[in-house]
């Protein structure tokens, strides 16, 4: 892997400062994510004072910091500030996980956030710093995997996803999925673990086989001509928030967002019904998927979607669902080497790859018979 990082967070923060509109504050500060929470709190307060000069003279006691959640790549903190005029302001500070720049293009993320925020998605970007960002606080709860299955919520997610896919982000519209997968493959296939047990498990992987699977799947998905959209690419329950009182749904965390195929975004979302435990018996049935597709394709007239359009999206989603397994399996190998977070990434690779192998024949034959029927029309 070498010392070369793909994306440098500091450079990106610099560039964001130059490219973004002036109301986005910036700071060179970095916060050591290995600190305990009590040690980290004064650093977070110091960061907020540096970013937002109007608070630089406030006493530290006017700030309160609490943990919202620690994902498997980021740490989210809520900062509340009592201003001199008596008003209270809340913000979210997101600290990037150590070494996540190996798998996340921060420049792409920061560029997209402004446009997505303007279109009503996610939190507003308020500031960037060395290893994270500050965003407006969203008053809502994070969904659970079982929430996503509820018909009313599934319909709302589908509607919002349609809108999300209509957002235009300037720059190249070339789909990044396979570029990212091959980039991950290159890194994942040349790792060396210091831990003997991990190295032994890693050696069980046949990268020649994985490479052949990637190539074969890419060739087949290319034939599907799935529309290219700006995709979220990580629509798991933890990135969906709901304000129950207002019934408002929020998409958050666009760090994997890129131009990609609509079939991938939807198939990947369906895989997330399984949750972190990877219980794939929870993968949506054909009827549940069709309910989602109807609201994605025609939110105003869901019952008027043609069978042909439903079948097309069903084939796309369930073929790209395989690509989602390969993407996150390879991602997990890089994380197993790079991430200090206590999560069994290596085990996660095997869970995702085994599910890919299990579903492969059924999904590929579905796609092939669909393509041959389309050619005969």
């Amino acid at each position: 892997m070498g010392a070369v990082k793909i994306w440098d967070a500091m450079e990106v923060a610099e560039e964001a400062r130059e490219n973004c509109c002036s109301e986005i504050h910036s700071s060179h500060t970095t916060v050591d994510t290995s600190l305990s929470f009590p040690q980290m709190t004064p650093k977070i307060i110091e960061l907020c004072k540096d970013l937002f000069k109007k608070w630089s003279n406030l006493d530290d006691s006017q700030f309160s910091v609490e943990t919202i959640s620690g994902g498997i790549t980021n740490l989210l903190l809520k900062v509340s500030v009592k201003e001199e005029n008596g008003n209270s302001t809340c913000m979210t500070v997101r600290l990037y996980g150590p070494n996540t720049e190996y798998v996340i293009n921060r420049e792409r993320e920061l560029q997209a956030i402004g446009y997505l925020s303007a279109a009503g998605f996610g939190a507003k970007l308020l500031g960037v710093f060395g290893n994270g960002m500050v965003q407006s606080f969203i008053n809502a709860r994070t969904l659970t995997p079982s929430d996503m299955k509820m018909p009313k919520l599934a319909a709302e997610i589908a509607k919002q996803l349609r809108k999300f896919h209509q957002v235009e982000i300037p720059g190249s519209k070339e789909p990044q999925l396979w570029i990212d997968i091959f980039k991950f493959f290159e890194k994942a296939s040349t790792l060396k673990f210091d831990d003997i047990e991990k190295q032994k498990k890693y050696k069980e992987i046949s990268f020649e086989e994985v490479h052949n699977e990637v190539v074969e799947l890419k060739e087949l998905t290319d034939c599907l001509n799935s529309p290219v959209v700006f995709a979220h690419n990580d629509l798991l329950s933890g990135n969906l928030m709901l304000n129950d009182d207002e019934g408002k749904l929020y998409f958050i965390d666009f760090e994997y967002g890129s131009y990609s195929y609509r079939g991938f975004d939807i198939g990947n979302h369906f895989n997330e019904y399984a949750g972190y435990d990877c219980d794939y018996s929870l993968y949506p049935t054909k009827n549940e998927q069709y309910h989602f597709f109807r609201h994605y394709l025609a939110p105003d007239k869901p019952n008027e979607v043609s069978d042909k359009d439903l079948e097309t999206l069903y084939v796309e989603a369930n073929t790209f669902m395989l690509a989602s397994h390969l993407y996150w399996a390879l991602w997990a190998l890089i994380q197993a080497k790079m991430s200090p977070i206590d999560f069994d990434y290596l085990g996660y690779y095997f869970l995702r790859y085994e599910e890919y192998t299990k579903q492969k024949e059924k999904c590929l034959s579905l796609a092939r018979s669909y393509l041959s029927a389309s050619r005969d029309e």
Side-chain angles (χ1 to χ4, degrees), residues 99-286:
N99 298 328
T100 46
E101 60 272 26
Y102 286 101
V103 287
I104 293 166
N105 181 336
R106 295 289 175 199
E107 196 175 343
R108 194 160 76 187
E109 178 192 12
L110 281 167
Q111 188 208 11
I113 280 177
Y115 293 94
L116 291 166
S117 168
F121 287 100
K124 193 170 185 302
L125 181 64
L126 304 174
V128 289
F129 57 97
N131 62 332
M133 60 176 75
V134 180
Q135 290 170 291
S136 59
F137 179 72
I138 294 175
N139 189 18
R141 69 174 176 93
T142 303
L143 293 191
T144 63
S146 57
D147 286 330
M148 301 195 302
K149 235 184 163 60
M150 291 160 69
K152 195 164 175 281
L153 270 176
E156 190 53 37
I157 293 166
K159 275 184 213 172
Q160 290 276 357
L161 189 58
R162 177 188 177 87
K163 273 196 209 139
F164 190 93
H165 286 170
Q166 289 168 336
V167 178
E168 286 275 321
I169 308 285
S172 166
K173 306 237 182 318
E174 186 187 355
Q176 298 299 302
L177 175 66
W178 297 105
I179 295 170
D180 287 346
I181 288 179
F182 281 114
K183 204 180 269 181
F184 285 179
F185 177 85
E186 222 168 284
K187 298 211 149 2
S189 58
T190 54
L191 300 173
K192 189 158 182 17
F193 291 90
D194 302 330
D195 182 304
I196 296 165
E197 279 308 302
K198 280 187 180 173
Q199 183 62 14
K200 204 170 118 187
K201 221 164 161 33
Y202 175 74
K203 281 291 179 200
E204 291 170 18
I205 302 165
S206 161
F207 283 102
E208 190 183 347
E209 179 193 302
V210 177
H211 190 266
N212 292 341
E213 298 293 338
V214 170
V215 170
E216 181 188 11
L217 187 59
K218 181 187 183 303
E219 283 173 5
L220 185 64
T221 58
D222 285 350
C223 300
L224 293 174
N225 293 319
S226 183
V228 173
V229 294
F230 189 83
H232 185 288
N233 296 324
D234 192 23
L235 263 191
L236 49 97
S237 60
N239 287 338
L240 293 162
M241 295 184 83
L242 180 70
N243 179 314
D244 289 292
D245 298 334
E246 296 168 20
K248 186 162 167 49
L249 180 78
Y250 296 89
F251 286 11
I252 62 163
D253 260 15
F254 311 126
E255 54 190 3
Y256 293 95
S258 70
Y259 272 94
S260 189
Y261 305 95
R262 72 170 181 184
F264 178 80
D265 220 8
I266 296 171
N268 182 70
H269 173 62
F270 289 163
N271 273 337
E272 294 298 345
Y273 278 44
Y276 279 137
D277 300 333
C278 296
D279 179 0
Y280 290 106
S281 67
L282 299 172
Y283 189 80
T285 62
K286 190 171 188 176

